[in-house]
């Protein structure tokens, strides 16, 4: 019905306004409403759930963020969005999700179709090890990503930054300087 459709469009507009004002937790109920509306294209819904995941991440609600990124993946969005949602999940996961995420990332790293995402995938895998408190394994994974990733850009930047931070904390200043 038309009035319902209008209300949903309004919800999305209200969410956008609140997001621009940095009022993330206030924007979330409107985002939820917008994402649940009927008749929306799958791609649009995937984008909305991705944004919702980011908002939950910003407001510190990691479980809800993890679930929102999972929703993105379940909608079979364009591949780049799926990869990014999986990476975001590594930043918001709890210990119980660790094994399955490691398996999935290792499979993705082996797949030839992910060559352009290698830096990002190694970054994500390193995050998992870092969150588990295994700094040595995280460093090894980030270093492998730096060596194998040909994609440059965001993924490579995140790898360098993560490594530089760890080396800095470990007072390995010459290694940190090489990366920054």
């Amino acid at each position: 019905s038309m009035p319902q459709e209008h209300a949903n469009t309004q919800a999305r507009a209200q969410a956008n306004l609140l997001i621009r004002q940095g009022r993330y937790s206030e924007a979330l109920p409107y985002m939820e409403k917008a994402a649940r509306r009927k008749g929306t294209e799958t791609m649009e819904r995937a984008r909305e759930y991705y944004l919702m995941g980011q908002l939950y991440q910003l407001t510190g609600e990691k479980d809800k963020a993890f679930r929102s990124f999972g929703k993105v993946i379940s909608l079979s969005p364009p591949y780049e969005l799926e990869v990014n949602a999986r990476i975001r999940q590594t930043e918001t996961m709890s210990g119980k999700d660790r094994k399955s995420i490691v398996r999935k990332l290792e499979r993705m790293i082996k797949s030839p179709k992910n060559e352009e995402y290698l830096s990002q995938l190694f970054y994500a895998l390193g995050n998992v090890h870092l969150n588990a408190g295994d700094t040595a394994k995280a460093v090894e994974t980030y270093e492998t990503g730096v060596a194998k990733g040909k994609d440059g850009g965001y993924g490579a930047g995140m790898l360098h930054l993560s490594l530089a931070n760890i080396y800095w904390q470990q007072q390995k200043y010459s290694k940190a300087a090489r990366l920054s």
Side-chain angles (χ1 to χ4, degrees):
S1 69
M2 200 54 209
Q4 184 56 42
E5 201 177 309
H6 182 69
N8 289 331
T9 307
Q10 213 172 352
R12 187 69 168 97
Q14 185 64 32
N16 284 338
L17 178 67
L18 290 165
I19 290 165
R20 279 200 300 276
Q21 294 171 346
R23 294 157 66 186
Y24 304 129
S25 44
E26 290 174 64
L28 275 158
Y30 293 103
M31 279 303 303
E32 293 270 8
K33 185 177 180 181
R36 281 198 306 266
R37 71 190 186 274
K38 298 274 179 280
T40 313
E41 284 182 26
T42 308
M43 176 62 193
E44 184 62 24
R45 287 208 12 238
R47 274 203 296 261
E48 286 173 354
Y49 277 111
Y50 188 85
L51 179 57
M52 223 155 43
Q54 289 179 300
L55 292 174
Y56 279 127
Q57 203 172 356
L58 285 166
T59 56
E61 296 183 78
K62 283 188 164 189
D63 284 352
K64 286 181 176 176
F66 185 87
R67 282 201 300 274
S68 296
F69 293 127
K71 198 91 169 145
V72 173
I73 295 163
S74 73
L75 289 166
S76 307
Y79 196 64
E80 191 175 357
L81 190 57
E82 182 192 330
V83 170
N84 282 301
R86 288 193 188 282
I87 289 166
R88 289 287 184 160
Q89 278 195 318
T90 67
E91 299 169 348
T92 56
M93 66 179 191
S94 63
K96 66 181 182 344
D97 308 304
R98 190 173 299 125
K99 274 196 181 75
S100 68
I101 287 184
V102 166
R103 272 199 309 272
K104 183 72 193 173
L105 288 170
E106 285 174 344
R107 268 205 313 273
M108 289 173 82
I109 283 168
K110 285 186 187 107
S111 165
K113 77 170 177 173
N114 288 322
E115 205 162 308
E116 60 180 303
Y117 302 108
L118 277 180
S119 293
Q120 294 177 56
L121 293 168
F122 276 107
Y123 165 67
L125 189 56
N127 291 346
V128 178
H129 296 308
L130 199 59
N131 290 341
D134 191 344
T135 307
K137 187 92 174 128
V139 166
E140 183 190 321
T141 305
Y142 292 146
E143 288 282 14
T144 306
V146 169
K148 290 190 174 178
K150 307 170 186 63
D151 47 336
Y154 171 80
M158 295 309 290
L159 282 169
H160 282 99
L161 191 61
S162 301
L163 275 168
N165 283 335
I166 292 170
Y167 287 143
W168 190 257
Q169 284 161 9
Q170 294 175 344
Q171 301 181 342
K172 294 179 179 169
Y173 301 119
S174 60
K175 278 189 168 185
R178 170 177 65 84
L179 289 157
S180 53

